[in-house]
Amino acid sequence: MSTASFLFILYNVCRMCRYFLLLFVFYLLSGFNVLAGNITHYQIYTTADGLSHRVVRDILQDRKGFMWFGTKDGLNRYDGFSFRKFKYDELNNNSIGNNFVTALYEDKKGNIWVGTDVGLYIYYPDRDAFEHFVKQTSTNIGIDRAISMISSDANGQIWIAVEAQGMFCYNLDTHLLSNFSLSDYPHITTNIKSFTFDNSGVLWIGFYGDG
């Protein structure tokens, strides 16, 4: 075998080794992505696919796997194949009362809390019905403004951030509603944007412009 032939074979062997090495590295990286929960594939959905509006204000995945999308014109539930739209229907007492959805949350009972730009609604999957949340505090304060966020604490109590009304807390077991107004804190001049509870149960609140 000539030197030129030997070098040609060696060159091709090296190329093949490099190819298999790249495949091996890609395989390892793919495995790491799966273990880490990273998703390398995504799908874009628009109104052409059945979404009721192109502006989505909040997204939720419930315990059954359904994806919920709160938009400026209706609530949407996606089952992996198609969208089901929920909108106000004056002829249906079980419909949602407002189409501008701003916040979503699933409570410990599996019910979906739906915040809108005017009030709060609860969707009960077992009855396929919405109810307007009309509970009031002991001082007759109800939720009637735009909802910015809904979440819960370690005890399962529902917390709701409401424009110009501060924070509300609702106990699912006692059915009592409490309000924590921002008027007691004069240094806060804007509404609540978001909030969360840390591992110690301390409530952290983010505001529009006030930190």
Side-chain angles (χ1 to χ4, degrees):
M1 179 184 297
S2 65
T3 302
S5 298
F6 174 77
L7 291 175
F8 177 77
I9 294 174
L10 181 62
Y11 170 75
N12 282 282
V13 169
C14 290
R15 288 187 61 186
M16 291 181 63
C17 290
R18 184 175 61 178
Y19 173 74
F20 285 115
L21 178 61
L22 288 173
L23 285 179
F24 179 69
V25 171
F26 178 77
Y27 172 78
L28 288 178
L29 292 176
S30 298
F32 290 147
N33 282 332
V34 172
L35 291 175
N38 296 328
I39 300 175
T40 57
H41 173 75
Y42 63 91
Q43 178 69 43
I44 298 176
Y45 294 100
T46 68
T47 53
D49 301 297
L51 196 65
S52 63
H53 196 278
R54 63 184 181 84
V55 177
V56 177
R57 298 296 300 270
D58 203 2
I59 301 174
L60 167 73
Q61 183 174 25
D62 66 22
R63 63 187 61 189
K64 296 179 180 179
F66 290 116
M67 296 296 300
W68 296 81
F69 300 87
T71 77
K72 292 181 66 175
D73 187 26
L75 177 64
N76 301 252
R77 189 183 72 184
Y78 184 65
D79 61 5
F81 300 96
S82 61
F83 287 94
R84 179 186 176 186
K85 303 181 186 69
F86 298 89
K87 288 189 177 185
Y88 171 65
D89 181 356
E90 62 180 5
L91 300 179
N92 182 2
N93 293 329
N94 293 323
S95 71
I96 191 171
N98 188 4
N99 290 335
F100 196 142
V101 179
T102 58
L104 296 170
Y105 185 74
E106 181 183 23
D107 66 25
K108 62 183 182 181
K109 297 181 179 180
N111 301 318
I112 308 297
W113 292 65
V114 184
T116 73
D117 66 339
V118 185
L120 180 65
Y121 297 84
I122 304 176
Y123 174 71
Y124 297 94
D126 58 336
R127 295 190 285 113
D128 192 26
F130 290 86
E131 284 188 6
H132 188 196
F133 185 82
V134 294
K135 296 284 186 181
Q136 294 187 333
T137 67
S138 58
T139 55
N140 299 319
I141 300 175
I143 299 174
D144 54 16
R145 301 295 293 273
I147 314 296
S148 59
M149 184 176 175
I150 309 170
S151 189
S152 68
D153 58 25
N155 297 319
Q157 298 182 112
I158 304 299
W159 289 77
I160 308 109
V162 186
E163 179 184 292
Q165 291 187 290
M167 294 282 291
F168 286 85
C169 178
Y170 181 68
N171 190 305
L172 291 173
D173 299 318
T174 63
H175 305 291
L176 294 178
L177 181 68
S178 304
N179 176 237
F180 303 91
S181 174
L182 299 180
S183 60
D184 298 330
Y185 305 92
H187 62 285
I188 298 175
T189 60
T190 59
N191 291 307
I192 297 173
K193 177 178 176 60
S194 61
F195 64 90
T196 188
F197 290 89
D198 63 21
N199 294 332
S200 300
V202 176
L203 174 62
W204 294 80
I205 303 175
F207 298 90
Y208 288 95
D210 282 340

